[in-house]
Amino acid sequence: MANVFTSTDNPQHKTILFIISGGVSAYRVLDLIRTFKKDGVYCPAILTKGAQEFITPLSVSALSGAPVYTDLFSLKDEQEMGHIRLSREADLIVIVPASADMIARTAHGMADDLASAVLLAADKPVICCPAMNPQMWTNAATQENIATLSRRGIDIIQPDHGEVACGETGQGRLPSVEALYKTINKSLNLTQHKPLSGYKALVTAGPTYEKIDPVRFIGNRSSGKQGYAIAAALAQYGADVTLVSGPTAIPCPQNVKRVDLESATDMLSAVEQNLPCDIAVFTAAVCDWRVSDVSEKKLKKRDDHTPPHITFSENPDILKTIATHKTKRPRLVIGFAAETDNIQEHAQEKLIRKGCDMLIANQVGHDKCTFGNDHNDVYFLTPDTDSENWGYKPKHEIADMLVCKVIEHLEKHEAINHTGANITKLEA
Ligand code: C5P
């Protein structure tokens, strides 16, 4: 399938309003604007006072060929409420670089300069690209402000690790222009075209914890990162997503409804309660067994030093239960398989045995792909095509690739229409 989001099919006459705040990396936004301008995107900009210490309004407008605004009270047509109009006429607003101060002021709803007033009045998707000193980035104040923005639906492009302008090393660098372009361009296209809108999706993620007694449990090392990335990508493409999650330390992605639980049996009930759905992705690392006789009291060491005897019962296979469901099988069921050896062979067998339409297999126990890593190295399998190796990639890219496969499948089998609404009806 052709990539749905290449620059060549970026529709013309789209507008990105760039909000440039103070930071050494402000000069790199010039290249970003140049790239979007080449695509035919209209790129007006707002420069904060801080940004003007690094770049000039003239350099930005010379490159963009579009107006650059700096002052809340000097917009020519303030009688038309210029700061409101700037947001209304944009398809997307991008804060880049977003300084710690800009982030804090946005989180607190300030409106005492043009940039903050526009953001407060914004009715369009906003992407925030933080860039700052690593200590400023990791400071709890910044992290709390970022979490606030994220909760309110602002997309955060995480800063890169590396050396920053002041010579310190850590997370805080503005990502490359190429990486920013890719992410922003995808969101720009999705502002008008959400191929999965009207579809209901369910994703399981994270580990399950199986109780031994009130304080102990058996679990596994799954971080939930891959499942959360898939839930985020499905939501970005317009699906109505429920994320059924075991214990993780990651925030719920935007526009996703999360159901938290611990055990495999609770995960199965939560999944069943959220049927019917169109797309189900089973990313969770579910414990195969649970403790048969969970102790109501904390188990004590014994005087004779013998360890407790724990017996296990097999947990339900959630994926298989749903994939073979007689009345409520989702249209598309996707499984995962973590294998230590003969990955393709075992994955192919699992795909068929569990009744999935697609399966993603990854090798565990080798150096690059440990649990909790931001990257994964996977094979993609379906019952009737050769397996594909997708290579070593960030988990969010793998999530995007999987969602493209989902869209391709729905286009082929269900006549998804690209006006954004599916023509099949969800069962009652
Ligand atoms: O059999 P295995 O655990 O390798 O299968 C992995 C796939 O099955 C994953 O998609 C996982 O989410 C799912 N699974 C499940 N319920 C279980 C065990 C695995 O849904 N009890």
Side-chain angles (χ1 to χ4, degrees), residues 177-192:
V177 168
E178 199 189 351
L180 291 173
Y181 171 77
K182 225 165 138 185
T183 313
I184 297 168
N185 195 45
K186 191 180 99 183
S187 296
L188 182 64
N189 282 286
L190 287 171
T191 57
Q192 284 181 358

Side-chain angles (χ1 to χ4, degrees), residues 204 282-284 286-288 315-319 335-338 350 354:
T204 69
F282 294 88
T283 331
V286 183
C287 289
D288 289 325
N315 267 333
D317 189 317
I318 304 168
L319 165 61
F336 270 69
K350 202 167 279 181
K354 298 210 181 198

Side-chain angles (χ1 to χ4, degrees), residues 18-34 45-57 59-61 63 68 94-99 129-132 165 172-175 177 180:
F18 283 91
I19 295 183
I20 307 174
S21 63
V24 189
S25 53
Y27 76 95
R28 286 170 50 203
V29 179
L30 298 175
D31 256 352
L32 188 62
I33 289 179
R34 196 189 349 240
I46 295 172
L47 263 67
T48 65
K49 254 201 174 106
Q52 292 169 65
E53 300 291 330
F54 296 95
I55 52 172
T56 65
S59 57
V60 179
S61 69
L63 269 170
V68 174
V94 179
I95 320 171
V96 57
S99 63
C129 316
M132 65 197 74
R173 281 171 62 88
L174 189 69
V177 168
L180 291 173

Side-chain angles (χ1 to χ4, degrees), residues 64-117:
S64 66
V68 174
Y69 305 96
T70 54
D71 191 350
L72 181 56
F73 299 107
S74 71
L75 288 177
K76 274 190 234 107
D77 41 8
E78 192 54 42
Q79 63 273 34
E80 287 175 40
M81 302 299 282
H83 60 286
I84 308 276
R85 187 176 53 78
L86 283 179
S87 141
R88 300 294 175 273
E89 290 179 359
D91 296 292
L92 181 66
I93 300 174
V94 179
I95 320 171
V96 57
S99 63
D101 181 66
M102 184 79 241
I103 290 166
R105 287 164 8 85
T106 311
H108 288 86
M110 309 286 280
D112 59 350
D113 71 353
L114 183 57
S116 54

